[in-house]
Amino acid sequence: MTETYQNWIGGKWVPSASGETFESRNPASMDEVLGAFPRSSAQDVDAAVQASKDAYPDWMNTPAPERADYLLRVALLLEERIEEWSELMTREMGKTLKESRGDIQEGIDFLHYMAGEGRRMMGHTVPSELRDKFSMTVRHPIGVVGLITPWNFPIAIPTWKIAPAIVAGCTSVFKPAEDTPLLATLLVQALEEVGLPPGVLNLVHGYGEEAGAPIVEHPDVRAVSFTGSLEVGRRINERCGALMKRCSLELGSKNVMIVMPDADMDLAVEAASWGAFATSGQRCTATSRLVVHDAAREEFTRRMLERVEGMKVGSGLDPEVELAPVINEEQKHRILEYIEIGKQEGAKLLTGGEELTGDGYDKGNFIAPTVFDDVKPDMRIAQEEIFGPVTAIIRTDDVDEAIRMANSVDYGLSAAIYTHDITNVFKAVKELEFGIVYVNAPTIGAEIQLPFGGMKNTGNGHREAGPQALDEFMEWKAVSVDYSGKVQKAQGID
Ligand code: NAD
């Protein structure tokens, strides 16, 4: 029997207005159904926004340390549930158990971090040029916000939005990805369990056009925080622009790792293999391009191939598996199409390149880890986000050219360089047009206390994680208190 789950609106679990549902399935074994979830529409979004509006006045007046305490309590609950939830995450989203644990741990870490921000929500005191006048800045919540998330980090990314919204004093409508509704439900249930007041967070399940777009369009939603594809992000950005809403976008990328001849080859090979194939390449920070110096190329390519060809592919529940399935059939076909494009463009397929079939694979969405060599920087497989277990080796013989190649894409999330040459290190740190730059560390594996986000088409200048996470959800208010008993005028204002 398939369990049926509900939306959470105004502190109550309710079905969608239409009563319709959709299913969540295991990408390793598509006949396993994890649950049925409400297929929501604008009517459900209206109810969730109304509940958010009703809850807002009291919530924005709740002291920030008190708001933050809910985050601390939910972090402690998640710590108890990490094993149980990891297994469910692997079944719902596919990635390996180790990666699922990491996803939840990242959520826990960020909940702790944001709980601390509740006691640190500092403004500034600013000197006034007038006597007997006190000036300061204070932070103010933006109001009702919409939170729309992808499926690849089913706990971490929602907490990256929910936690700062809660501590900022916003109330929100959360629309998780349709591929991972179960994990989103567990997170919301945990927030209910710690007593988060009704309406502070509202959960609306459903498809993007039907349940996501109405959040963006709703006149009472003051800001939209979106993580997902460039295509959808662009549309949301246009609508938010027209509707004069704040909009924070964390979109796709085409990340890069540069390997110089003096790189520690053990580290470089491991970083490239992990960066390219962890979560089956379905990370926004995945190493989808390897710009390798000719002097390092033979050894790097040979060792990388050995490493990749030794990867066990299968269900993420098997502890020996390194490469788990991709999320759904549509994504599987998209990745296989890109592999064909790479071949047609003249790139050399070194390994992989096909769907895996047969025992253990037939019911799921499995693609062999795929490495292309002789890739030219302008090929589509070097320019467009594939979001699958595919990486492209591009040759270079010079660090300046390597950096130019690295920057020659429309995206700019994560870049890495492997070298011990201090000049090349500083050159790369300065010149790489990416929001996250690593030296002798892989393109994946961000830490939550640092700002996370990208340049160019990866986003629109906002950052998640780190103390910057609050900026999405807060306004600055300039406050002056004049106790002079006179009408005073600042210089330059008359
Ligand atoms: P997606 O854009 O298809 O969907 C993301 C979310 O948007 C889902 O909840 C979906 O239902 C919703 N949506 C779809 N159409 C919508 C619409 N018209 N209006 C409002 N909402 C709509 O992305 P995805 O396939 O879930 O995730 C993969 C993408 O996310 C990749 O491009 C990846 O790089 C990106 N991503 C970026 C980051 C980052 O921080 N930069 C992190 C993770 C994933």
Side-chain angles (χ1 to χ4, degrees), residues 75-86:
L76 299 175
L77 261 193
L78 265 58
E79 279 171 13
E80 285 170 22
R81 297 184 184 169
I82 191 162
E83 286 308 311
E84 181 198 338
W85 287 19
S86 305

Side-chain angles (χ1 to χ4, degrees), residues 166-431:
I166 285 179
V167 83
C170 294
T171 53
S172 33
V173 179
F174 165 40
K175 208 296 282 170
E178 50 271 41
D179 284 298
T180 50
L182 177 60
L183 267 294
T185 305
L186 296 178
L187 180 62
V188 172
Q189 282 172 349
L191 281 154
E192 180 192 26
E193 238 176 287
V194 299
L196 190 74
V200 169
L201 175 69
N202 300 279
L203 168 69
V204 176
H205 286 291
Y207 295 111
E209 286 293 339
E210 296 171 2
I215 297 175
V216 177
E217 295 296 326
H218 202 293
D220 293 325
V221 172
R222 290 299 321 139
V224 176
S225 177
F226 172 81
T227 301
S229 61
L230 172 62
E231 189 197 355
V232 176
R234 200 192 292 279
R235 258 187 285 155
I236 291 179
N237 202 25
E238 282 168 8
R239 289 307 298 147
C240 286
L243 297 165
M244 294 295 289
K245 295 184 185 205
R246 188 181 294 177
C247 168
S248 159
L249 303 170
E250 294 293 342
L251 311 176
S253 189
K254 197 71 192 170
N255 310 296
V256 64
M257 179 175 143
I258 298 172
V259 183
M260 296 304 290
D262 65 335
D264 179 322
M265 222 30 89
D266 291 341
L267 296 189
V269 167
E270 194 48 37
S273 314
W274 185 50
F277 299 113
T279 320
S280 307
Q282 303 169 113
R283 294 195 189 201
C284 50
T285 51
T287 316
S288 50
R289 294 179 299 152
L290 296 158
V291 175
V292 182
H293 195 284
D294 281 337
R297 198 178 145 268
E298 192 282 322
E299 183 185 357
F300 176 82
T301 310
R302 178 175 44 77
R303 292 181 56 183
M304 169 116 183
L305 272 190
E306 269 168 35
R307 175 73 184 85
V308 171
E309 284 174 349
M311 283 181 177
K312 183 170 179 190
V313 185
S315 158
L317 293 174
D318 175 346
E320 282 174 15
V321 159
E322 286 189 90
L323 196 87
V326 299
I327 187 73
N328 55 36
E329 283 206 30
E330 193 188 335
Q331 188 59 13
K332 178 179 75 182
H333 292 307
R334 193 170 163 271
I335 297 164
L336 292 170
E337 246 175 70
Y338 267 110
I339 292 171
E340 280 314 305
I341 290 169
K343 289 189 211 160
Q344 281 161 21
E345 285 179 311
K348 185 168 150 199
L349 181 65
L350 287 184
T351 187
E354 81 268 319
E355 178 177 4
L356 295 175
T357 50
D359 240 12
Y361 296 131
D362 276 347
K363 290 184 183 168
N365 308 310
F366 295 95
I367 296 180
T370 300
V371 182
F372 279 107
D373 196 2
D374 288 344
V375 176
K376 302 285 172 286
D378 59 351
M379 288 180 178
R380 284 184 64 192
I381 57 164
Q383 287 287 326
E384 297 171 22
E385 186 183 49
I386 300 174
F387 223 54
V390 182
T391 193
I393 298 177
I394 302 169
R395 298 176 180 205
T396 184
D397 57 7
D398 169 63
V399 72
D400 291 304
E401 184 190 55
I403 293 172
R404 267 200 312 279
M405 285 172 167
N407 288 340
S408 72
V409 292
D410 289 334
Y411 294 108
L413 184 55
S414 184
I417 183 164
Y418 274 73
T419 182
H420 287 96
D421 180 322
I422 194 78
T423 311
N424 289 344
V425 167
F426 277 94
K427 191 185 266 288
V429 165
K430 175 138 191 265
E431 293 178 14

